[in-house]
Amino acid sequence: MLAEAGWNVGAGGKSTEEVGQEIEVPDQPTSSGLGYADYVLWDDNGKPLGVVEAKKTAVSAEKGRTQARLYADGLEKKYGQRPVIFYTNGYDIWTWDDAQNYPPRKLFGIYSKDSLQYLLFQRNNRQQLATIKVNSDITDRLYQQLAIKQVCERFTDNHRKALIVQATGTGKTRVAISLTDVLLRASRVKRVLFLCDRTELRKQAKNAYSEHLNEGITIVRKGTAKERHKRIYLATYPAMMKVFQTFDVGFFDLIVADESHRSIYNRYRELFLYFDCFQVGLTATPVDMVNRNTYRLFGCEERMPTAHYSLDEAVEEGYLTPMEVFTHSTQFLKRGIKYKDLTDEQIEQ
């Protein structure tokens, strides 16, 4: 697992500069006061980025949780830097970044070195989201700014997922870009993935991101999946499904999922389970019609999205025009068509 995430792991239990094995840790509740951490993941400056407690496959990974915390305590005391905790039995992998007050959560893999480095940078440099002002050049409408504030409040409460339900034509993409801007300025995210279901929507999103954010942007497809130094990544769901496992689980800090309806849950749920990051769903589907699985995927109670701006509100406030339905028919629909009534030219066609 460590090797798959790009770590240089020594063979035969030998330590490397990146991965220490059976590392002696002081201040442990043993008779000698010493313990031996299964794996310590080292930063370039020699300080611990992560500590991994590996249990046998026959027992629950949970059995390693307390032991891993004690190792983290000892390493923090010795090196002045608290490592991110991982514990596993080879099947289930859990992480526990208790320094940011997050509860333990299950992962699909180990973080890469680069992703762990940013996690610790974020821990030391992140700003309170309530102190970051929304850029009115991107989102100047009150309901848009309110949606961003509600998502930020949810993240501040240590939730990692949110769902925005907003009528078509009221600027969902603008809200996503403005939220990205707030999280970037707060040092809460480094790399963002915007997902949509059609290439035309992807083009529109790219143009919008380029217009409002001065950040490196790339389109994710088979040929560009190895471009790992951008800030904004745009992809269709099918394209991302083909390459997502080439990224480590901690690569993205924010995923924005456009058109988050039932098919997202049924066909692309694996994307949201694989990546360990903030996740925001966007949908124009009315609250009562959003599938319960979509609410569950983004951590919301049924019919209670994080932010909601309805079609009726948009019409009432003058941002949208009400629809009128006209029924219209044609002679063709009324009477049908007969071969004998066609002209020679129509017959030829």
Side-chain angles (χ1 to χ4, degrees):
M1 290 175 182
L2 289 164
E4 285 174 359
W7 292 93
N8 177 20
V9 185
K14 293 182 179 179
S15 294
T16 67
E17 288 185 359
E18 287 191 345
V19 180
Q21 300 188 46
E22 291 296 318
I23 297 300
E24 184 178 282
V25 182
D27 299 295
Q28 298 302 295
T30 61
S31 57
S32 65
L34 299 174
Y36 294 87
D38 291 325
Y39 301 91
V40 176
L41 310 178
W42 300 110
D43 202 346
D44 297 331
N45 60 8
K47 291 188 176 184
L49 286 169
V51 60
V52 184
E53 175 61 21
K55 290 298 182 186
K56 292 187 291 186
T57 55
V59 301
S60 169
E62 278 289 310
K63 290 194 177 236
R65 177 177 168 180
T66 300
Q67 196 172 350
R69 180 180 60 78
L70 291 169
Y71 288 147
D73 292 342
L75 289 166
E76 181 181 19
K77 193 168 183 180
K78 182 176 180 178
Y79 294 97
Q81 177 169 289
R82 186 169 188 80
V84 177
I85 295 167
F86 298 93
Y87 48 96
T88 179
N89 62 356
Y91 291 108
D92 296 329
I93 308 167
W94 291 79
T95 187
W96 186 15
D97 188 10
D98 54 354
Q100 296 201 62
N101 296 319
Y102 282 120
R105 57 187 185 271
K106 204 170 183 178
L107 299 179
F108 267 60
I110 303 285
Y111 271 49
S112 69
K113 185 176 182 179
D114 178 56
S115 296
L116 265 187
Q117 285 172 327
Y118 185 69
L119 205 62
L120 266 74
F121 171 85
Q122 188 186 87
R123 183 195 289 175
N124 298 323
N125 294 277
R126 67 178 187 164
Q127 299 176 45
Q128 293 297 320
L129 293 176
T131 66
I132 307 297
K133 189 177 180 181
V134 175
N135 185 347
S136 59
D137 289 337
I138 305 175
T139 43
D140 58 352
R141 297 177 181 177
L142 185 61
Y143 68 85
Q144 295 172 332
Q145 296 185 355
L146 179 61
I148 295 162
K149 181 180 177 183
Q150 289 169 322
V151 171
C152 288
E153 286 174 351
R154 185 165 174 81
F155 289 165
T156 299
D157 290 339
N158 285 340
H159 294 282
R160 295 172 63 79
K161 298 185 179 186
L163 179 64
I164 298 173
V165 177
Q166 199 171 300
T168 298
T170 57
K172 293 193 301 299
T173 304
R174 283 282 191 102
V175 169
I177 295 168
S178 195
L179 176 64
T180 299
D181 174 64
V182 167
L183 294 173
L184 283 168
R185 287 188 283 123
S187 295
R188 295 297 186 101
V189 304
K190 179 182 179 183
R191 291 174 294 223
V192 179
L193 173 63
F194 185 93
L195 291 167
C196 50
D197 57 2
R198 299 195 306 279
T199 54
E200 187 56 41
L201 292 175
R202 188 192 65 194
K203 290 176 187 175
Q204 291 174 16
K206 183 178 185 295
N207 292 337
Y209 267 97
S210 299
E211 180 183 352
H212 297 291
L213 294 182
N214 185 26
E215 302 289 352
I217 298 176
T218 190
I219 301 292
V220 179
R221 49 174 81 93
K222 190 174 181 181
T224 62
K226 292 183 180 179
E227 291 183 14
R228 301 299 164 96
H229 303 289
K230 304 292 186 180
R231 282 293 183 98
I232 311 297
Y233 293 75
L234 301 132
T236 61
Y237 291 101
M240 198 65 199
M241 285 296 290
K242 294 176 182 177
V243 299
F244 75 93
Q245 289 182 317
T246 65
F247 297 88
D248 75 274
V249 297
F251 185 83
F252 295 109
D253 307 295
L254 169 68
I255 292 177
V256 178
D258 197 16
E259 299 303 326
S260 297
H261 41 61
R262 181 182 299 184
S263 66
I264 301 304
Y265 182 87
N266 293 339
R267 298 174 63 187
Y268 307 122
R269 180 170 53 133
E270 195 174 356
L271 287 174
F272 302 96
L273 297 176
Y274 180 81
F275 289 112
D276 181 52
C277 62
F278 289 140
Q279 297 178 7
V280 178
L282 306 175
T283 184
T285 305
V287 165
D288 292 347
M289 298 173 67
V290 174
N291 186 264
R292 68 179 62 180
N293 288 331
T294 302
Y295 283 115
R296 191 179 305 133
L297 183 64
F298 292 101
C300 295
E301 297 282 338
E302 194 169 342
R303 299 188 181 186
M304 293 181 64
T306 311
H308 176 218
Y309 189 67
S310 69
L311 175 63
D312 289 343
E313 289 176 289
V315 169
E316 185 179 329
E317 294 179 9
Y319 292 114
L320 295 180
T321 304
M323 294 184 294
E324 291 185 57
V325 179
F326 290 88
T327 302
H328 182 69
S329 188
T330 65
Q331 294 299 318
F332 172 78
L333 288 172
K334 289 176 181 176
R335 298 180 181 178
I337 188 169
K338 294 182 180 179
Y339 190 80
K340 66 181 181 65
D341 295 331
L342 298 178
T343 65
D344 291 342
E345 184 181 356
Q346 289 170 332
I347 290 170
E348 182 64 28
Q349 288 177 342

